[in-house]
Amino acid sequence: MRDLLFKNLTSSDKKRRIIATSEISDKEGVRSVIRRHFVCLIKEIKGAAGGKPQPYLYVLKERNAREQKERFFCRLKGSVYAISNDRLFLITFLHSLKINLSAIPHSSITYPDGDNSA
């Protein structure tokens, strides 16, 4: 089984865009849930450019062998200046990835041939 969900949200002034995906998959006794989130903000800078925000990276990985679960999380923030039609813009972005893996209880595993016994 595999469920996919996509969201693409753009503000009415087109200065903010959010793209989110979610995927849930059950395969070989493992349920994986993968969520991706992308955010982009655009601001016009008047006058001289100020200091650019510092990039940021955060990574977390956890493993629980007793409960047969694993979790991974990564977040990346950054920004870049861009010039268009003699106007200066600051583009700020945030990307995150979240992965959860867990064992599926044996009673809820469905085999392709319809036989749920091992």
Side-chain angles (χ1 to χ4, degrees):
M1 180 183 88
R2 185 173 176 192
D3 293 327
L4 297 171
L5 173 67
F6 295 94
K7 291 182 183 179
N8 186 348
L9 307 170
T10 303
S11 65
S12 59
D13 60 1
K14 299 192 179 199
K15 291 187 178 183
R16 179 180 53 193
R17 175 169 284 180
I18 301 171
I19 300 172
T21 65
S22 178
E23 177 181 348
I24 300 172
S25 173
D26 294 342
K27 188 175 179 183
E28 299 177 7
V30 176
R31 171 166 287 156
S32 63
V33 179
I34 302 171
R35 298 188 197 293
R36 297 173 190 92
H37 200 84
F38 309 100
V39 179
C40 179
L41 300 166
I42 301 172
K43 293 182 189 175
E44 185 175 357
I45 305 296
K46 304 284 185 183
K52 185 168 69 167
Q54 292 295 313
Y56 171 82
L57 174 66
Y58 177 79
V59 178
L60 173 69
K61 182 177 178 183
E62 293 179 345
R63 183 174 181 177
N64 186 332
R66 184 179 205 178
E67 294 182 15
Q68 295 182 331
K69 292 183 178 183
E70 284 190 49
R71 186 175 91 143
F72 175 80
F73 180 75
C74 178
R75 176 177 285 152
L76 174 67
K77 288 182 184 180
S79 61
V80 63
Y81 284 106
I83 297 174
S84 176
N85 296 330
D86 294 325
R87 294 166 46 196
L88 180 63
F89 295 92
L90 176 63
I91 303 168
T92 305
F93 58 88
L94 167 80
H95 300 296
S96 64
L97 171 66
K98 187 181 203 180
I99 302 172
N100 289 316
L101 302 174
S102 60
I104 302 172
H106 183 71
S107 61
S108 66
I109 298 175
T110 305
Y111 295 94
D113 62 2
D115 181 19
N116 288 346
S117 61

